[in-house]
Amino acid sequence: MCPSYRATGEETDSTRGRARLLQEMVRGDLVQDGWRSTEVRDALDLCLSCKACSSDCPVGVDMATYKAEFLHQHYKGRIRPRSHYSLGWLPLTSSLAGFAARPVNALLRGPVGKLLARLGGVTTKRRIPAFASRRALRRALRGARTGEPAKALLFVDSFTRAFRPEVAGAASRVLADAGIPCTAEDGLCCGLTWVSTGQLSTARRVMARTVAHLDDGDDRPIIVAEPSCAAALKRDVPELLGTEAARRVAARVHTFTGALTDLAAPDWAPPELPDNVVLQTHCHEYATFKGSHPRDLLGRLGVEKVDEAEGCCGLAGNFGFEEQHYDTSMAVADLALKPRLDGIDAVGGAGRTVVVADGFSCATQIDHLAGDRGIRALHLAELLDPTADQPGGTP
């Protein structure tokens, strides 16, 4: 269940162990420092905030939510870890980087990039993803317009906009092909990076702005290509804001898989698909959207074998980029994802295996694990894109 517990085998890293320590903190007997407790902070440190416990635990313990609240209280009025600023505020900095993507990327690829990573508490063992220009999203979406009335909103999250705008274009084309033409909503944020780093006051402000924009009398479905963002809009937003508007927005949210499962035209048929797919389902999609699983959709669309790497990829948003968590991140990847990738023949050819990972974190971890083996993770939208050539496991 808990990825870090499976990786370390330490009881203190289990959901049970963390929940017990939080219980003692509330009681104030054994843990007497309350929200300032370093013992509780250290016990929660290796929680990946994957939310698996919220659906797998018999009593529904949501350690990710508890961790966010603890970090919020623990660091209130205090200096935070450097990664909380560098990674927690990434939606804002990535938006600014888009105005000068080419020079920024060139700078980050050199020694200055490593220095900035160290200053920000980010591991230098990973390559910093390249930022896309602001024009890239407009170009990606330009070819996706059909002229038909939009039946849904395509929520373009911060990470899709900043790092892989081509996914937004592919998603828009697939949805139109499936009878769900969309209008793209850009410039909004779900607030997840501030939640996972415990900056809940900022998260609420960001979420309130997004809800105010989306809850404007429009009742069309909101389709989100990034599973973690979809989960935040579906679950974190109504929990943190507690308003009727937030609940109305949450009720309209679908993942990309969910939209194709529930909203696609009955006669929709995708392009020819590969025989074999290695699938990494995002943890937040697994935990929050139980009724629409990518594995089931791929099976219905005709993929003969879906080999799912069950469990977390190990990157888990900011977690695997933080310097002190790199080794744990890789140990979690060793549990399921890395063995699946090691079994892939990256040469290609008939019947070749395709790797599918909708989450940006999952795709980034796959790219890191694959190294120079020529394996690249596709978003489901890229796999189903009617305008693309037959995709494969190699770029």
Side-chain angles (χ1 to χ4, degrees):
M1 179 171 61
C2 177
S4 54
Y5 173 62
R6 292 176 62 202
T8 68
E10 297 291 336
E11 175 65 18
T12 53
D13 295 328
S14 68
T15 304
R16 177 177 55 246
R18 291 173 179 135
R20 182 61 181 269
L21 200 57
L22 285 168
Q23 188 178 47
E24 295 297 341
M25 183 193 80
V26 173
R27 287 177 177 172
D29 296 331
L30 298 178
V31 179
Q32 299 181 347
D33 297 335
W35 295 113
R36 299 297 193 189
S37 170
T38 56
E39 185 181 6
V40 176
R41 182 200 63 196
D42 292 345
L44 292 173
D45 183 57
L46 292 187
C47 169
L48 284 77
S49 298
C50 70
K51 294 184 179 290
C53 53
S54 67
S55 59
D56 288 352
C57 178
V59 293
V61 172
D62 186 354
M63 196 55 61
T65 296
Y66 297 161
K67 180 180 180 179
E69 181 65 32
F70 177 84
L71 292 176
H72 173 67
Q73 299 291 346
H74 184 77
Y75 289 109
K76 187 177 290 185
R78 305 167 79 185
I79 298 297
R80 290 174 164 272
R82 291 167 294 163
S83 61
H84 286 198
Y85 301 105
S86 62
L87 298 173
W89 286 78
L90 192 55
L92 176 61
T93 56
S94 65
S95 179
L96 295 175
F99 289 104
R102 185 172 296 179
V104 168
N105 290 332
L107 186 71
L108 293 177
R109 282 194 294 267
V112 174
K114 289 187 179 297
L115 175 61
L116 291 175
R118 292 191 184 98
L119 291 175
V122 174
T123 179
T124 58
K125 296 178 181 179
R126 294 186 187 276
R127 184 172 64 249
I128 298 175
F131 293 99
S133 70
R134 299 287 295 184
R135 294 188 298 273
L137 179 62
R138 292 195 294 270
R139 287 197 301 267
L141 291 171
R142 190 180 301 132
R145 296 177 184 143
T146 64
E148 299 179 30
K151 297 180 180 179
L153 303 178
L154 177 63
F155 188 99
V156 183
D157 63 279
S158 301
F159 285 85
T160 298
R161 179 175 62 251
F163 298 110
R164 49 178 191 172
E166 66 279 0
V167 167
S172 186
R173 287 189 293 273
V174 173
L175 292 168
D177 189 52
I180 324 167
C182 295
T183 297
E185 282 288 349
D186 180 28
L188 301 176
C189 181
C190 67
L192 179 60
T193 58
W194 287 283
V195 174
S196 59
T197 53
Q199 301 178 74
L200 298 187
S201 297
T202 303
R204 288 188 178 96
R205 289 196 296 271
V206 172
M207 290 172 171
R209 174 178 174 269
T210 296
V211 167
H213 185 86
L214 293 174
D215 188 50
D216 60 353
D218 190 344
D219 61 354
R220 289 177 296 175
I222 300 169
I223 302 172
V224 191
E226 170 58 48
S228 62
C229 183
L233 291 170
K234 188 75 170 181
R235 186 163 165 181
D236 296 316
V237 166
E239 287 180 354
L240 282 171
L241 296 183
T243 64
E244 285 301 321
R247 285 187 279 272
R248 284 194 296 269
V249 169
R252 295 161 54 199
V253 171
H254 298 260
T255 60
F256 185 73
T257 295
L260 293 179
T261 300
D262 300 330
L263 306 176
D267 59 347
W268 171 63
E272 184 180 354
L273 297 177
D275 296 329
N276 305 318
V277 166
V278 167
L279 172 67
Q280 175 66 54
T281 301
H282 195 289
C283 294
H284 290 188
E285 182 168 19
Y286 166 80
T288 307
F289 299 92
K290 283 291 191 182
S292 53
H293 197 291
R295 180 189 60 225
D296 298 332
L297 177 63
L298 286 168
R300 288 198 299 272
L301 294 179
V303 177
E304 294 181 4
K305 181 183 179 182
V306 180
D307 186 12
E308 185 171 16
E310 296 184 349
C312 185
C313 73
L315 188 56
N318 59 292
F319 182 89
F321 270 103
E322 292 172 333
E323 187 174 21
Q324 72 274 24
H325 294 147
Y326 176 79
D327 290 340
T328 302
S329 170
M330 300 307 290
V332 172
D334 286 341
L335 296 172
L337 178 57
K338 189 173 183 297
R340 297 316 193 278
L341 298 180
D342 288 344
I344 294 175
D345 177 11
V347 175
R352 62 196 176 191
T353 299
V354 173
V355 182
V356 173
D358 285 359
F360 173 72
S361 291
C362 306
T364 302
Q365 181 78 313
I366 289 168
D367 180 62
H368 181 67
L369 291 168
D372 58 359
R373 292 168 50 202
I375 297 173
R376 182 177 77 88
L378 298 176
H379 190 284
L380 183 60
E382 295 176 289
L383 181 70
L384 302 177
D385 189 349
T387 67
D389 294 332
Q390 174 62 44
T394 57

